[in-house]
Amino acid sequence: IPLGTGPYKLSTVDPGRSVTYERNPDFWGQKKPQFAGRFNFDKISFEYFRDTDVAYQALLAQNIDIYFEQNPSKWIERRKTKTEGFDAQAIDLALPPPFLGMVFNTRKDIFSDPRVRRALTLAYDFEWVNENLLQGLYKRTQSYFEAENLQATGIPKGLELDMLSPYSKTLPTQLYNNAFNLPRSNGDGRIRNRLRQAKSLLREAGWSPKGQKLFNQARGLNFEIEMLLVDRTHLKLISGFKKNLKTLGIDLRVRLLDSASFQNRITDFDFDMMITEWGQSLSPGNEQAFYWSSHAAETPGSRNYPGIQQPAVDHLVQVIAGAKDRKILEAAVRALDRILLWGYYAIPLHHSNQQWIYHSKSIQFPENPSFHGTTMDLWWKGTVDDAALKRP
């Protein structure tokens, strides 16, 4: 929508503190059916805070009306507190959650062997992290396309198998004969059997103990990793992972960067490992080439962070982009998902299928949220005639 012709127009800007928008009386679409009941506020202000705890206190002081919670521990704690004038609400989402993972840069020699990447995947204990750090509120991400009919399950068959069969010489044999499953634990932090399995895989890949560290004789180097982070909350997620890697003889160094420095590094693929996410829709399309294709792997600024260069992937992203039949699309996405999982290009972390919101009781929400959850354009004040805002 051209600037100035949308439902709101910029009113005031207080740099670093707030931005305010006012309703545009000349908005061309207000009476269109698709906009019925939307954009119900005369004025909307976005307040900026450097600290999320300060933002929450601003909510309690009634300086703001809406606060989205991102911290599971604080969500558990705060929603139990009876706060006058405010409600806590969990809203279910129906879209595939973003794939959040610890990404391996396969352009680096240490991660060029899939056995190494699988070994490090074994060293991450999600069940312990979820139980002890995430309040048990999250699910382990099992797919790059976490949605029914899109994620790979079982073994490939039918149309999916037909798409994968021509590439049997370049894809892992297990992909055709086994269902992909991430390792599981009972959450007590004891994963010795998995670490022994990881140690065996590392030995097969040429890494052997030298003193307290792993050493690769052929490459002449110790196993050392730099992990880039931009979100401070991720530090606690990898504390146990770092400890497990140390047990294997791997030195993991964590580097927390500001957003600009982080973006510069990943744009140039200048990293060993980092944490990032890929968002997906219910109808994946040509963006998959930007995520996974061989061309993207060599294009600075693309989102093929792992550096995947796989002929089967290049073929499938083209099938997905040009699919004219839903069955073909879904089969190609499942086949692609299967290749990404069996390639161990990233360690899947976790996701939640909910939005956690604290809001003023005067703010009303539609009874049935969209697949995206709830968004500001759908809210209204309780004084507005509710009947005029009901949606199918």
Side-chain angles (χ1 to χ4, degrees):
I1 299 176
L3 186 65
T5 63
Y8 289 95
K9 58 184 179 180
L10 185 64
S11 174
T12 58
V13 177
D14 186 353
R17 296 191 177 186
S18 66
V19 176
T20 300
Y21 295 86
E22 293 184 354
R23 188 199 297 274
N24 181 3
D26 299 321
F27 175 46
W28 58 272
Q30 191 61 59
K31 295 183 180 180
K32 299 289 184 181
Q34 63 267 37
F35 295 117
R38 296 171 61 188
F39 313 117
N40 301 305
F41 298 101
D42 292 328
K43 183 182 291 186
I44 298 173
S45 294
F46 295 89
E47 302 287 337
Y48 296 90
F49 297 87
R50 293 181 182 272
D51 189 295
T52 55
D53 289 333
V54 175
Y56 180 71
Q57 292 302 317
L59 175 79
L60 298 183
Q62 300 186 19
N63 291 327
I64 60 176
D65 297 302
I66 297 281
Y67 178 83
F68 286 81
E69 183 62 82
Q70 303 295 327
N71 188 309
S73 298
K74 291 177 180 178
W75 171 250
I76 291 290
E77 174 187 345
R78 289 169 174 171
R79 70 177 180 175
K80 296 178 182 178
T81 304
K82 300 297 182 182
T83 306
E84 185 176 352
F86 294 93
D87 284 330
Q89 191 169 356
I91 295 177
D92 292 331
L93 305 173
L95 286 179
F99 177 97
L100 178 70
M102 292 189 281
V103 181
F104 301 110
N105 188 352
T106 64
R107 303 171 186 86
K108 304 284 186 175
D109 282 346
I110 56 173
F111 294 131
S112 61
D113 193 318
R115 291 172 295 187
V116 171
R117 305 194 295 269
R118 183 184 175 192
L120 269 63
T121 301
L122 288 166
Y124 180 70
D125 187 355
F126 164 75
E127 285 72 27
W128 183 88
V129 170
N130 195 37
E131 182 68 25
N132 292 276
L133 303 178
L134 300 176
Q135 306 299 314
L137 292 176
Y138 288 86
K139 299 176 181 178
R140 183 76 189 269
T141 300
Q142 303 284 340
S143 165
Y144 285 79
F145 306 88
E146 196 89 13
E148 187 179 3
N149 296 329
L150 294 180
Q151 65 186 86
T153 57
I155 61 174
K157 55 186 177 180
L159 187 55
E160 183 185 347
L161 180 59
D162 292 340
M163 293 178 180
L164 292 168
S165 293
Y167 302 96
S168 59
K169 292 183 178 180
T170 60
L171 295 175
T173 303
Q174 304 99 307
L175 181 150
Y176 296 91
N177 303 319
N178 302 97
F180 182 87
N181 291 296
L182 289 166
R184 293 182 58 86
S185 74
N186 59 13
D188 64 3
R190 299 188 181 115
I191 57 170
R192 292 179 181 176
N193 289 337
R194 274 168 46 181
L195 293 180
R196 279 195 289 268
Q197 185 181 356
K199 193 172 183 179
S200 177
L201 287 167
L202 290 165
R203 188 181 298 111
E204 291 176 15
W207 296 92
S208 56
K210 185 178 181 181
Q212 298 297 315
K213 295 187 177 182
L214 281 184
F215 182 76
N216 190 299
Q217 188 68 39
R219 294 185 172 92
L221 49 82
N222 291 322
F223 205 137
E224 298 176 345
I225 305 169
E226 181 186 61
M227 167 88 76
L228 298 188
L229 297 181
V230 69
D231 188 338
R232 184 176 296 275
T233 62
H234 290 156
L235 286 169
K236 65 179 182 179
L237 298 179
I238 63 173
S239 58
F241 179 62
K242 182 176 181 178
K243 181 180 178 181
N244 290 336
L245 292 187
K246 186 175 182 180
T247 300
L248 293 172
I250 299 173
D251 181 21
L252 176 66
R253 301 186 308 275
V254 179
R255 187 168 184 182
L256 184 65
L257 301 175
D258 62 81
S259 58
S261 298
F262 180 82
Q263 187 59 53
N264 288 336
R265 290 283 299 271
I266 67 173
T267 294
D268 294 331
F269 308 126
D270 181 18
F271 66 94
D272 297 333
M273 292 184 69
M274 58 105 167
I275 294 181
T276 193
E277 66 180 26
W278 289 274
Q280 298 290 358
S281 72
L282 290 171
S283 294
N286 57 8
E287 76 283 350
Q288 302 305 311
F290 188 66
Y291 291 174
W292 321 116
S293 71
S294 297
H295 176 71
E298 298 176 342
T299 305
S302 82
R303 302 203 64 198
N304 188 344
Y305 303 125
I308 301 168
Q309 293 187 305
Q310 170 59 253
V313 170
D314 293 336
H315 171 68
L316 288 169
V317 296
Q318 291 181 7
V319 173
I320 291 170
K324 297 181 180 180
D325 181 280
R326 184 70 189 182
K327 290 184 179 180
I328 293 175
L329 174 66
E330 292 178 354
V333 171
R334 290 195 300 271
L336 174 60
D337 189 32
R338 200 177 299 277
I339 295 173
L340 297 176
L341 292 170
W342 279 105
Y344 291 96
Y345 295 110
I347 301 175
L349 294 179
H350 56 262
H351 66 272
S352 171
N353 289 321
Q354 289 185 326
Q355 287 177 310
W356 301 328
I357 305 173
Y358 313 109
H359 64 92
S360 166
K361 289 184 177 179
S362 64
I363 302 290
Q364 302 297 312
F365 294 76
E367 183 177 348
N368 299 313
S370 72
F371 284 1
H372 299 266
T374 189
T375 52
M376 179 182 60
D377 60 305
L378 303 176
W379 307 336
W380 69 91
K381 285 279 189 179
T383 55
V384 176
D385 181 6
D386 295 352
L389 299 168
K390 285 187 177 179
R391 298 166 181 78

